[in-house]
PDB file of all heavy atoms in Angstrom:
ATOM      1  N   THR M1259     146.694 -11.056  49.043  1.00  0.00           N
ATOM      2  CA  THR M1259     146.485 -12.441  48.622  1.00  0.00           C
ATOM      3  C   THR M1259     147.719 -13.393  48.842  1.00  0.00           C
ATOM      4  O   THR M1259     147.557 -14.527  49.002  1.00  0.00           O
ATOM      5  CB  THR M1259     145.960 -12.548  47.155  1.00  0.00           C
ATOM      6  OG1 THR M1259     146.999 -12.105  46.319  1.00  0.00           O
ATOM      7  CG2 THR M1259     144.720 -11.763  46.974  1.00  0.00           C
ATOM      8  N   GLY M1260     148.871 -12.798  48.700  1.00  0.00           N
ATOM      9  CA  GLY M1260     150.128 -13.530  48.951  1.00  0.00           C
ATOM     10  C   GLY M1260     150.138 -14.220  50.406  1.00  0.00           C
ATOM     11  O   GLY M1260     150.572 -15.333  50.519  1.00  0.00           O
ATOM     12  N   TYR M1263     148.358 -17.533  50.165  1.00  0.00           N
ATOM     13  CA  TYR M1263     149.142 -18.563  49.552  1.00  0.00           C
ATOM     14  C   TYR M1263     150.291 -18.960  50.648  1.00  0.00           C
ATOM     15  O   TYR M1263     150.592 -20.223  50.698  1.00  0.00           O
ATOM     16  CB  TYR M1263     149.875 -18.085  48.270  1.00  0.00           C
ATOM     17  CG  TYR M1263     148.775 -18.052  47.179  1.00  0.00           C
ATOM     18  CD1 TYR M1263     148.176 -16.917  46.836  1.00  0.00           C
ATOM     19  CD2 TYR M1263     148.459 -19.288  46.490  1.00  0.00           C
ATOM     20  CE1 TYR M1263     147.072 -16.859  45.892  1.00  0.00           C
ATOM     21  CE2 TYR M1263     147.503 -19.287  45.471  1.00  0.00           C
ATOM     22  CZ  TYR M1263     146.825 -18.005  45.200  1.00  0.00           C
ATOM     23  OH  TYR M1263     145.828 -17.980  44.261  1.00  0.00           O
ATOM     24  N   ARG M1264     150.782 -18.058  51.292  1.00  0.00           N
ATOM     25  CA  ARG M1264     151.775 -18.320  52.380  1.00  0.00           C
ATOM     26  C   ARG M1264     151.222 -19.282  53.440  1.00  0.00           C
ATOM     27  O   ARG M1264     151.795 -20.221  53.822  1.00  0.00           O
ATOM     28  CB  ARG M1264     152.310 -17.095  53.012  1.00  0.00           C
ATOM     29  CG  ARG M1264     153.268 -16.316  52.076  1.00  0.00           C
ATOM     30  CD  ARG M1264     153.526 -14.884  52.650  1.00  0.00           C
ATOM     31  NE  ARG M1264     154.464 -14.209  51.702  1.00  0.00           N
ATOM     32  CZ  ARG M1264     155.753 -14.098  51.854  1.00  0.00           C
ATOM     33  NH1 ARG M1264     156.327 -14.540  52.990  1.00  0.00           N
ATOM     34  NH2 ARG M1264     156.528 -13.389  50.921  1.00  0.00           N
ATOM     35  N   ARG M1315     155.642 -14.631  57.389  1.00  0.00           N
ATOM     36  CA  ARG M1315     156.458 -13.533  56.826  1.00  0.00           C
ATOM     37  C   ARG M1315     157.858 -13.919  56.405  1.00  0.00           C
ATOM     38  O   ARG M1315     158.628 -13.080  55.885  1.00  0.00           O
ATOM     39  CB  ARG M1315     156.523 -12.309  57.615  1.00  0.00           C
ATOM     40  CG  ARG M1315     155.253 -11.532  57.866  1.00  0.00           C
ATOM     41  CD  ARG M1315     154.311 -11.228  56.723  1.00  0.00           C
ATOM     42  NE  ARG M1315     154.744 -11.131  55.305  1.00  0.00           N
ATOM     43  CZ  ARG M1315     153.942 -11.194  54.310  1.00  0.00           C
ATOM     44  NH1 ARG M1315     152.685 -11.500  54.474  1.00  0.00           N
ATOM     45  NH2 ARG M1315     154.363 -11.181  53.155  1.00  0.00           N
ATOM     46  N   ALA M1323     155.149 -20.726  49.471  1.00  0.00           N
ATOM     47  CA  ALA M1323     153.990 -20.185  48.866  1.00  0.00           C
ATOM     48  C   ALA M1323     154.037 -20.225  47.355  1.00  0.00           C
ATOM     49  O   ALA M1323     153.113 -20.565  46.636  1.00  0.00           O
ATOM     50  CB  ALA M1323     153.657 -18.723  49.321  1.00  0.00           C
ATOM     51  N   SER M1324     155.266 -19.857  46.845  1.00  0.00           N
ATOM     52  CA  SER M1324     155.449 -19.851  45.422  1.00  0.00           C
ATOM     53  C   SER M1324     155.252 -21.223  44.852  1.00  0.00           C
ATOM     54  O   SER M1324     154.781 -21.458  43.807  1.00  0.00           O
ATOM     55  CB  SER M1324     156.905 -19.264  45.171  1.00  0.00           C
ATOM     56  OG  SER M1324     157.200 -19.422  43.794  1.00  0.00           O
ATOM     57  N   SER M1327     151.482 -22.305  45.088  1.00  0.00           N
ATOM     58  CA  SER M1327     150.608 -21.486  44.306  1.00  0.00           C
ATOM     59  C   SER M1327     150.582 -21.915  42.817  1.00  0.00           C
ATOM     60  O   SER M1327     149.744 -21.509  42.111  1.00  0.00           O
ATOM     61  CB  SER M1327     151.047 -19.996  44.369  1.00  0.00           C
ATOM     62  OG  SER M1327     152.337 -19.847  43.730  1.00  0.00           O
ATOM     63  N   ARG M1333     144.835 -22.821  43.818  1.00  0.00           N
ATOM     64  CA  ARG M1333     144.452 -21.477  43.185  1.00  0.00           C
ATOM     65  C   ARG M1333     142.907 -21.364  43.231  1.00  0.00           C
ATOM     66  O   ARG M1333     142.297 -20.395  43.443  1.00  0.00           O
ATOM     67  CB  ARG M1333     144.992 -21.436  41.843  1.00  0.00           C
ATOM     68  CG  ARG M1333     146.520 -21.475  41.658  1.00  0.00           C
ATOM     69  CD  ARG M1333     146.990 -20.623  40.460  1.00  0.00           C
ATOM     70  NE  ARG M1333     146.814 -19.193  40.734  1.00  0.00           N
ATOM     71  CZ  ARG M1333     147.666 -18.401  41.380  1.00  0.00           C
ATOM     72  NH1 ARG M1333     148.792 -19.006  41.858  1.00  0.00           N
ATOM     73  NH2 ARG M1333     147.501 -17.187  41.624  1.00  0.00           N
ATOM     74  N   GLY M1353     148.657  -9.077  44.444  1.00  0.00           N
ATOM     75  CA  GLY M1353     148.998 -10.453  44.188  1.00  0.00           C
ATOM     76  C   GLY M1353     149.716 -10.629  42.906  1.00  0.00           C
ATOM     77  O   GLY M1353     150.573  -9.724  42.516  1.00  0.00           O
ATOM     78  N   ARG M1354     149.518 -11.732  42.235  1.00  0.00           N
ATOM     79  CA  ARG M1354     150.095 -12.072  40.953  1.00  0.00           C
ATOM     80  C   ARG M1354     149.063 -12.140  39.821  1.00  0.00           C
ATOM     81  O   ARG M1354     149.380 -12.043  38.714  1.00  0.00           O
ATOM     82  CB  ARG M1354     150.921 -13.364  41.064  1.00  0.00           C
ATOM     83  CG  ARG M1354     151.935 -13.429  42.152  1.00  0.00           C
ATOM     84  CD  ARG M1354     153.166 -12.525  41.863  1.00  0.00           C
ATOM     85  NE  ARG M1354     154.143 -12.735  42.920  1.00  0.00           N
ATOM     86  CZ  ARG M1354     154.184 -12.296  44.134  1.00  0.00           C
ATOM     87  NH1 ARG M1354     153.140 -11.809  44.626  1.00  0.00           N
ATOM     88  NH2 ARG M1354     155.218 -12.509  44.851  1.00  0.00           N
ATOM     89  N   ASP M1355     147.856 -12.436  40.152  1.00  0.00           N
ATOM     90  CA  ASP M1355     146.794 -12.719  39.098  1.00  0.00           C
ATOM     91  C   ASP M1355     145.548 -11.948  39.433  1.00  0.00           C
ATOM     92  O   ASP M1355     144.497 -12.337  38.994  1.00  0.00           O
ATOM     93  CB  ASP M1355     146.461 -14.246  39.115  1.00  0.00           C
ATOM     94  CG  ASP M1355     145.928 -14.645  40.440  1.00  0.00           C
ATOM     95  OD1 ASP M1355     146.131 -13.944  41.476  1.00  0.00           O
ATOM     96  OD2 ASP M1355     145.223 -15.744  40.568  1.00  0.00           O
ATOM     97  N   ILE M1356     145.691 -10.834  40.096  1.00  0.00           N
ATOM     98  CA  ILE M1356     144.442 -10.073  40.524  1.00  0.00           C
ATOM     99  C   ILE M1356     143.805  -9.478  39.217  1.00  0.00           C
ATOM    100  O   ILE M1356     142.633  -9.617  39.055  1.00  0.00           O
ATOM    101  CB  ILE M1356     144.829  -9.003  41.611  1.00  0.00           C
ATOM    102  CG1 ILE M1356     145.558  -9.690  42.733  1.00  0.00           C
ATOM    103  CG2 ILE M1356     143.397  -8.482  42.109  1.00  0.00           C
ATOM    104  CD1 ILE M1356     144.974 -10.908  43.374  1.00  0.00           C
ATOM    105  N   ARG M1404     162.084 -17.035  42.380  1.00  0.00           N
ATOM    106  CA  ARG M1404     160.600 -16.942  42.613  1.00  0.00           C
ATOM    107  C   ARG M1404     159.896 -16.268  41.414  1.00  0.00           C
ATOM    108  O   ARG M1404     158.889 -16.712  40.896  1.00  0.00           O
ATOM    109  CB  ARG M1404     160.411 -16.104  43.850  1.00  0.00           C
ATOM    110  CG  ARG M1404     158.999 -16.193  44.470  1.00  0.00           C
ATOM    111  CD  ARG M1404     159.036 -16.587  45.923  1.00  0.00           C
ATOM    112  NE  ARG M1404     159.533 -15.564  46.852  1.00  0.00           N
ATOM    113  CZ  ARG M1404     158.655 -14.623  47.339  1.00  0.00           C
ATOM    114  NH1 ARG M1404     157.433 -14.658  46.991  1.00  0.00           N
ATOM    115  NH2 ARG M1404     159.029 -13.815  48.223  1.00  0.00           N
ATOM    116  N   ASP M1408     156.948 -17.981  39.336  1.00  0.00           N
ATOM    117  CA  ASP M1408     155.613 -17.248  39.271  1.00  0.00           C
ATOM    118  C   ASP M1408     155.270 -16.937  37.843  1.00  0.00           C
ATOM    119  O   ASP M1408     154.064 -17.065  37.447  1.00  0.00           O
ATOM    120  CB  ASP M1408     155.626 -16.051  40.109  1.00  0.00           C
ATOM    121  CG  ASP M1408     155.775 -16.296  41.649  1.00  0.00           C
ATOM    122  OD1 ASP M1408     155.587 -17.501  42.003  1.00  0.00           O
ATOM    123  OD2 ASP M1408     156.146 -15.388  42.376  1.00  0.00           O
ATOM    124  N   ARG M1411     154.696 -20.646  35.482  1.00  0.00           N
ATOM    125  CA  ARG M1411     153.784 -21.810  35.914  1.00  0.00           C
ATOM    126  C   ARG M1411     152.629 -21.780  34.840  1.00  0.00           C
ATOM    127  O   ARG M1411     152.304 -20.858  34.185  1.00  0.00           O
ATOM    128  CB  ARG M1411     153.289 -21.563  37.292  1.00  0.00           C
ATOM    129  CG  ARG M1411     152.381 -20.358  37.442  1.00  0.00           C
ATOM    130  CD  ARG M1411     151.964 -20.162  38.914  1.00  0.00           C
ATOM    131  NE  ARG M1411     151.217 -19.008  39.045  1.00  0.00           N
ATOM    132  CZ  ARG M1411     151.237 -18.149  40.032  1.00  0.00           C
ATOM    133  NH1 ARG M1411     152.025 -18.338  41.067  1.00  0.00           N
ATOM    134  NH2 ARG M1411     150.491 -17.113  40.074  1.00  0.00           N
TER     135      ARG M1411
HETATM  136  O1   DC Q2313     153.388 -11.525  47.549  1.00  0.00           O
HETATM  137  P1   DC Q2313     154.022 -12.685  48.341  1.00  0.00           P
HETATM  138  O2   DC Q2313     155.557 -12.657  48.267  1.00  0.00           O
HETATM  139  O3   DC Q2313     153.522 -12.716  49.770  1.00  0.00           O
HETATM  140  O4   DC Q2313     153.540 -14.066  47.585  1.00  0.00           O
HETATM  141  C1   DC Q2313     154.010 -15.296  47.916  1.00  0.00           C
HETATM  142  C2   DC Q2313     153.848 -16.282  46.777  1.00  0.00           C
HETATM  143  O5   DC Q2313     152.494 -16.551  46.585  1.00  0.00           O
HETATM  144  C3   DC Q2313     154.349 -15.743  45.379  1.00  0.00           C
HETATM  145  O6   DC Q2313     155.692 -16.112  45.144  1.00  0.00           O
HETATM  146  C4   DC Q2313     153.400 -16.333  44.410  1.00  0.00           C
HETATM  147  C5   DC Q2313     152.207 -16.626  45.153  1.00  0.00           C
HETATM  148  N1   DC Q2313     151.122 -15.787  44.864  1.00  0.00           N
HETATM  149  C6   DC Q2313     150.242 -16.111  43.752  1.00  0.00           C
HETATM  150  O7   DC Q2313     150.606 -17.146  43.040  1.00  0.00           O
HETATM  151  N2   DC Q2313     149.166 -15.444  43.474  1.00  0.00           N
HETATM  152  C7   DC Q2313     148.806 -14.388  44.144  1.00  0.00           C
HETATM  153  N3   DC Q2313     147.715 -13.769  43.902  1.00  0.00           N
HETATM  154  C8   DC Q2313     149.563 -13.999  45.300  1.00  0.00           C
HETATM  155  C9   DC Q2313     150.725 -14.702  45.560  1.00  0.00           C
END
Side-chain angles (χ1 to χ4, degrees):
T1259 63
Y1263 286 94
R1264 286 168 181 261
R1315 292 315 336 158
S1324 175
S1327 68
R1333 301 209 72 83
R1354 304 292 189 287
D1355 60 339
I1356 311 305
R1404 197 124 76 85
D1408 295 345
R1411 66 183 178 218

